[in-house]
Amino acid sequence: MDLTYRLRVSLNVLSDERLPKTFSVDAGHRFRAYFNGIYHPAQVDVIDKALHIGESGAAEISIVCMSEEEGQVFPGLAIDFVGGVDIEVGWGEVIAVLEKIEE
């Protein structure tokens, strides 16, 4: 059984030369959230404003975790945001757990 968490997170987009100059993170953006030594499928559901290279903001994201990870997603948890071919695009932390859905 998988768990889907809806989270409010801080998001800081890196300034990495491997990212296209027009790179941005907006609602619908898919990536992998890396924490607890595992990559998790994730998506931006809602974002205050599109974030471009070097910008910071807040977003609501959904992540899919294994049932064994229940209780390991909590406010203050650091997350790396990874896209493409293992390119870290940003980092942040969980501000709040909004919802947990068991699937």
Side-chain angles (χ1 to χ4, degrees):
M1 174 178 67
D2 287 336
L3 299 172
T4 298
Y5 285 93
R6 289 194 54 247
L7 307 171
R8 181 84 173 159
V9 298
S10 63
L11 175 56
N12 305 284
V13 179
L14 296 175
S15 297
D16 188 318
E17 67 274 355
R18 295 179 295 172
L19 295 173
K21 296 199 184 313
T22 58
F23 180 81
S24 66
V25 176
D26 206 349
H29 187 92
R30 293 180 185 266
F31 59 95
R32 289 172 289 148
Y34 183 76
F35 59 91
N36 295 337
I38 301 171
Y39 289 97
H40 302 80
Q43 175 177 311
V44 176
D45 297 324
V46 177
I47 193 162
D48 295 341
K49 68 175 186 82
L51 298 177
H52 302 277
I53 292 174
E55 294 183 332
S56 300
E60 290 181 14
I61 66 170
S62 295
I63 62 168
V64 178
C65 299
M66 297 178 292
S67 59
E68 296 83 17
E69 294 179 279
E70 186 169 11
Q72 296 180 21
V73 177
F74 51 86
L77 177 68
I79 298 176
D80 290 328
F81 301 98
V82 180
V85 183
D86 293 333
I87 297 173
E88 186 175 359
V89 297
W91 60 275
E93 72 176 41
V94 176
I95 297 169
V97 176
L98 303 174
E99 184 177 16
K100 179 180 75 172
I101 305 163
E102 296 182 19
E103 299 179 38

